[in-house]
C-alpha cells in the first residue's frame, strides 16, 4: 500500500466516487422518496417502490455492456455520457407527474448507472491493481454504504423542508459531483492505455500466467456454480431492509428496529473493508467461509434468541451479508476465472446477482404475508448460507 500514490491513488478515488454514486445514490436513498411521492400522486407505495425494482433490473443490463464500452479511448466519453444521463434523469424525476414518467426515468438512469457502475469499478480495480486487490475493492464498494449513510439525512431534510421534487434535483447534483474525479483525473480503464503498469505487476512471470489463462477455456460448470453463488448471496442480502419489521414482529419497540437497521448499515461498510483486508491475508475462499458462518450464526440467533439487548449485536453480525454479493463475488470470480476471463464472466454473474436482489426483498415480504412472521425467512437464510458455503467450496476445488 506504500506505492498507492500518484495516478494509482487517483484511480482509487475515482472508483470510490463511481461506487458511491452508482450503488449508493441509486439504491440506498431511494426509499426516502416512496412515501412523499405516493401521497402526492395518490398511488400505492408498492407502485412507487416498483421504480427501484425497475432501475435495479435495467442496472444489470447496463453492467453487461460496461466492460466492452469502457475499453480504450471510449473510457472518458462513455463515463461522461453515462454520468450525465444518470445525474440528469435523477434530476428530471422532479418533473414527474405520473407513474409512467417515474418508471421511464428510473429505467434510463438505471441503465446509465449500470454502464458506469459496480462492474466498471471492479474491472478498473482488477486492471490497475495486482496487489492488495481485496482491500482496495472493499474500500471502493464500501463507499456505497458510506454515501447512503451520509446523504440519507441530508436528502431527508430537503424532502421535509422543500419537498421530494427539490430533493431529486439535489440528488442529481450529488451524483454528478461524485463522478467528477473519474472524469477529470488523467486516468484510463487500463494502465497500459496510458503507458503504465498495474500496481504489484510481476513482469514476465505474470505475462506467462496470463498467456496460459488465454489458452484455457471457461468451465461451464464453474460458470453455472458462480451464477448459483451470485443468486444465493443476492437473495439473503435483500433481507436487511426488513430488520425494523423483524424487531416489531418479535415484540420489540420501533426504536430497537431502527437500531437493528442502522447496525446492518454499519456492518455494510465495516464488513467490506475487513473482508478485503482478510482476503489479502488468508485468501478469498477462507474469508467467504468465515463470513457465511457469521451470517449463518446471526440468522439462527435472530430466530431462536429474542433478547432486547442482543438484537443489535445480532444485526451487526447479520449485516456482513452485504459483503457477499459485492466484494466476495468480485474476488471469487477473479480467482475462478483468472485475470483474462474475468472481464467476460463477471458482468454476466453480477447481472444474475442484481436481478435476484431486485426481487428478493419483495419475496421475503410475501413470505411474511403468507406466514405472519419472519421465522420461515430466517430459516431460509440459514439454509442459503450453508448452500453458499458449499457452492464456494466446490468452485475453488474445481477451478
Amino acid at each position: 500500500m506504500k506505492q498507492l500514490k500518484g495516478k494509482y491513488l487517483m484511480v482509487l478515488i475515482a472508483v470510490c466516487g463511481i461506487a458511491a454514486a452508482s450503488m449508493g445514490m441509486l439504491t440506498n436513498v431511494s426509499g426516502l422518496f416512496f412515501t412523499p411521492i405516493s401521497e402526492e400522486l395518490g398511488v400505492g407505495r408498492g407502485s412507487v417502490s416498483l421504480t427501484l425494482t425497475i432501475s435495479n433490473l435495467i442496472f444489470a443490463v447496463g453492467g453487461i455492456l460496461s466492460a466492452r464500452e469502457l475499453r480504450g479511448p471510449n473510457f472518458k466519453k462513455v463515463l461522461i455520457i453515462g454520468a450525465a444521463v444518470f445525474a440528469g434523469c435523477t434530476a428530471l424525476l422532479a418533473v414527474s407527474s405520473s407513474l409512467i414518467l417515474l418508471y421511464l426515468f428510473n429505467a434510463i438512469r438505471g441503465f446509465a448507472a449500470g454502464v458506469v457502475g459496480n462492474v466498471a469499478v471492479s474491472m478498473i480495480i482488477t486492471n490497475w491493481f495486482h496487489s492488495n486487490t481485496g482491500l482496495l475493492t472493499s474500500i471502493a464498494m464500501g463507499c456505497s454504504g458510506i454515501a447512503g449513510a451520509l446523504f440519507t439525512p441530508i436528502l431527508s431534510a430537503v424532502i421535509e423542508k422543500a419537498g421530494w421534487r427539490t430533493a431529486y434535483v439535489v440528488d442529481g447534483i450529488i451524483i454528478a459531483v461524485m463522478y467528477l474525479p473519474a472524469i477529470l483525473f488523467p486516468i484510463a480503464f487500463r494502465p497500459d492505455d496510458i503507458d503504465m503498469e498495474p500496481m504489484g505487476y510481476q513482469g514476465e512471470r505474470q505475462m506467462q500466467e496470463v498467456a496460459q489463462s488465454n489458452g484455457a477455456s471457461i468451465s461451464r460448470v464453474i460458470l453455472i456454480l458462480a451464477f448459483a453463488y451470485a443468486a444465493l448471496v443476492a437473495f439473503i442480502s435483500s433481507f436487511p431492509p426488513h430488520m425494523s419489521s423483524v424487531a416489531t414482529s418479535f415484540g420489540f419497540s420501533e426504536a430497537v428496529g431502527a437500531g437493528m437497521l442502522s447496525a446492518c448499515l454499519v456492518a455494510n461498510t465495516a464488513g467490506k473493508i475487513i473482508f478485503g483486508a482478510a482476503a489479502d491475508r488468508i485468501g478469498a475462499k477462507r474469508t467467504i467461509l468465515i463470513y457465511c458462518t457469521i451470517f449463518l450464526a446471526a440468522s439462527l440467533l435472530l430466530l431462536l434468541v429474542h433478547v432486547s439487548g442482543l438484537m443489535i449485536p445480532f444485526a451487526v453480525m447479520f449485516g456482513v451479508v452485504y459483503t457477499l454479493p459485492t466484494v466476495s463475488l468480485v474476488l471469487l470470480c477473479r480467482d475462478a476465472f483468472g485475470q483474462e476471463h474475468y472481464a467476460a464472466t463477471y458482468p454476466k454473474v453480477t447481472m444474475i446477482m442484481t436481478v435476484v436482489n431486485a426481487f428478493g426483498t419483495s419475496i421475503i415480504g410475501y413470505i411474511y404475508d403468507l406466514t405472519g412472521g419472519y421465522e420461515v425467512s430466517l430459516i431460509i437464510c440459514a439454509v442459503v448460507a450453508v448452500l453458499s458455503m458449499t457452492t464456494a467450496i466446490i468452485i475453488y476445488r474445481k477451478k
Side-chain angles (χ1 to χ4, degrees), residues 117-135:
N118 64 325
V119 173
V121 168
S122 64
M123 296 296 298
I124 293 169
I125 292 175
T126 301
N127 291 338
W128 275 86
F129 302 99
H130 290 177
S131 61
N132 300 111
T133 310
L135 178 59

Side-chain angles (χ1 to χ4, degrees), residues 62-72 115 119-120 123 189 342-344 347:
I64 290 290
L65 302 177
S66 181
R68 184 182 67 189
E69 298 300 327
L70 287 171
R71 291 177 182 272
V115 175
V119 173
M123 296 296 298
F189 186 66
Y342 177 82

